[in-house]
Amino acid sequence: MPRWAATIERNIPLFLIPHIVMRGVRKHGEDLERVIVRKTGSHFYNVSIRTRPIKRELRDVRNDGGSREPARSGD
């Protein structure tokens, strides 16, 4: 399975790191593999977000409302 390139945001101020990480989690959700934050100097950081593809048969089934459908038992 091919790996996707990491999304790297450079020279992010300290107070924006939580927002960048939250945005990555919202955007990628279950596909999120890791988040790396590295200090570059004087309160600036590089944020790297790596994702991975998930096989379709392993993904959760979701309805149009975005909530999980209940499991059906022998209908």
Side-chain angles (χ1 to χ4, degrees):
M1 192 175 288
R3 290 201 114 162
W4 296 346
T7 303
I8 300 173
E9 304 213 18
R10 299 184 188 281
N11 296 324
I12 304 298
L14 178 63
F15 70 95
L16 287 179
I17 291 175
H19 177 70
I20 299 292
V21 172
M22 181 178 61
R23 186 177 66 186
V25 169
R26 282 187 184 161
K27 181 177 178 184
H28 300 293
E30 294 174 351
D31 297 340
L32 187 69
E33 185 175 341
R34 70 177 179 213
V35 176
I36 299 173
V37 179
R38 291 193 178 129
K39 187 169 185 175
T40 57
S42 128
H43 304 293
F44 286 93
Y45 298 81
N46 288 346
V47 178
S48 172
I49 298 174
R50 180 176 291 274
T51 59
R52 62 180 163 82
I54 295 179
K55 294 181 181 179
R56 289 195 180 268
E57 62 267 11
L58 297 178
R59 287 187 184 205
D60 288 336
V61 177
R62 297 190 184 262
N63 61 15
D64 292 337
S67 63
R68 296 182 183 189
E69 293 180 4
R72 298 181 185 241
S73 58
D75 287 336

